[in-house]
Amino acid sequence: MSLSYRQPPNRWELRPGEIHVCAVALAASPVCIAKLEGVLSPEERQRARRFRTAELTQAFVAGRGILRTILGGCLHLPPSDVPLEYGERGKPRIRGGGRLRFNLSHSGGQALYALAVDCEVGVDLERIRPMPDCESIAERFFSAAEQRDLRSAPPRQREAAFFTCWTRKEAYIKAVGDGLSLPLDSFRVSLLPSEPPTLDARGDSQEWSLFDVSPGQSYAAALVAEGPRTEVRGWAFGDAGDCTAYFG
Ligand SMILES: CC(C)(COP(=O)(O)OP(=O)(O)OC[C@H]1O[C@@H](n2cnc3c(N)ncnc32)[C@H](O)[C@@H]1OP(=O)(O)O)[C@@H](O)C(=O)NCCC(=O)NCCS
């Protein structure tokens, strides 16, 4: 069953043993975008300028500004002071260690932010869209068992099954932090709507749990977290302004 997203509580608290997922629409007024741009680091502002279109620049500014605002709320720091750095393969993290872990994903104007204490997380979101070549993409990236499962899905459900598989695989590689250097056919996820979310990564000595965290019917989304099953809570924010007002 997919996660249900609720209104955030009056007083927000992240405890060990819980994972919180914030769903935020990246839409933002020009005033809000200017405010979010103001919390970015000089390197992030430079990166924002390198995107090909104004939409992509705006999505990055909103996504990164919201990330800084949420993390600032967790760490009791101004968003611009959140010390972000990157792991060897690009996974963002808080410099200096600490117990807070996070990951994010955005697609189709929507973003998901996963937060946890002492527990690595990876999250991936994709808007479900027509994908006529999904079987040939699956041949390139999915394991043989996943390709078989995809072919067995009823044609009407094939695209949703494809994105379910894609996001589950991405969430795992993002949790591990290895990016695409981890062979995508070295582990298996379930993808059929009739089956619960499962992840079989036998070669990995670490235990991981997989959750369906779709924020709506037109999205596939997955969360992978370190350790045995944990409590996952979902919070919905209307747009960037709502989220920054809450955490800021
Ligand atoms: C970068 C990657 C981790 C995810 O990229 P994506 O799905 O295009 O983008 P998402 O929106 O889901 O995630 C982007 C965020 O992941 C984070 N990220 C980057 N590298 C990461 C890593 N190694 N581990 C975890 N998170 C990472 C970043 O914070 C990034 O946010 P930013 O762009 O605002 O900095 C990587 O897996 C990738 O390039 N995937 C390409 C798609 C592909 O071929 N997938 C095959 C799946 S079957």
Side-chain angles (χ1 to χ4, degrees):
M1 202 177 70
S2 185
L3 179 65
S4 61
Y5 286 86
R6 301 169 203 277
Q7 290 268 95
N10 288 338
R11 199 171 154 274
W12 183 77
E13 201 187 339
L14 177 66
R15 298 184 197 88
E18 294 175 353
I19 301 170
H20 289 214
V21 183
C22 299
V24 189
L26 288 178
S29 66
V31 173
C32 184
I33 284 290
K35 208 172 140 199
L36 289 168
E37 193 172 4
V39 307
L40 303 190
S41 67
E43 295 75 33
E44 289 166 341
R45 261 179 244 149
Q46 237 176 31
R47 186 176 158 195
R49 280 195 288 270
R50 287 201 294 267
F51 285 96
R52 274 177 293 113
T53 65
E55 285 78 24
L56 290 173
T57 297
Q58 182 160 326
F60 174 74
V61 169
R64 184 52 65 102
I66 294 167
L67 172 70
R68 285 186 163 277
T69 308
I70 295 175
L71 295 176
C74 298
L75 297 169
H76 309 290
L77 284 175
S80 54
D81 288 357
V82 172
L84 285 179
E85 67 171 13
Y86 297 90
E88 233 175 85
R89 311 242 185 234
K91 185 168 183 172
R93 63 189 183 201
I94 310 284
R95 189 168 55 243
R99 303 178 67 191
L100 182 64
R101 302 285 180 272
F102 69 92
N103 198 232
L104 68 147
S105 181
H106 35 86
S107 175
Q110 180 75 37
L112 291 182
Y113 299 86
L115 304 152
V117 178
D118 295 331
C119 163
E120 278 305 337
V121 286
V123 68
D124 197 60
L125 169 76
E126 286 292 338
R127 191 171 54 78
I128 298 171
R129 50 195 188 270
M131 194 54 76
D133 52 350
C134 73
E135 280 181 40
S136 60
I137 298 175
E139 275 170 30
R140 238 177 106 199
F141 294 115
F142 293 3
S143 69
E146 289 162 346
Q147 292 176 43
R148 258 197 323 273
D149 284 350
L150 184 66
R151 282 194 297 272
S152 78
R156 271 184 306 111
Q157 294 175 357
R158 203 156 290 160
E159 269 146 2
F162 170 80
F163 283 110
T164 299
C165 186
W166 181 282
T167 51
R168 289 178 182 176
K169 291 180 86 64
E170 280 275 328
Y172 173 62
I173 60 176
K174 291 175 82 178
V176 176
D178 277 351
L180 292 176
S181 67
L182 186 75
L184 285 163
D185 59 358
S186 64
F187 61 97
R188 180 188 181 178
V189 296
S190 59
L191 55 93
L192 294 170
S194 53
E195 292 175 350
T198 56
L199 165 66
D200 180 355
R202 270 166 222 197
D204 189 342
S205 54
Q206 174 67 50
E207 184 182 5
W208 299 96
S209 306
L210 169 67
F211 304 86
D212 179 356
V213 294
S214 167
Q217 275 196 342
S218 36
Y219 289 92
L223 166 75
V224 168
E226 203 179 348
R229 292 191 80 80
T230 322
E231 188 180 345
V232 183
R233 296 175 179 208
W235 309 121
F237 296 90
D239 62 15
D242 289 347
C243 185
T244 51
Y246 184 81
F247 284 101

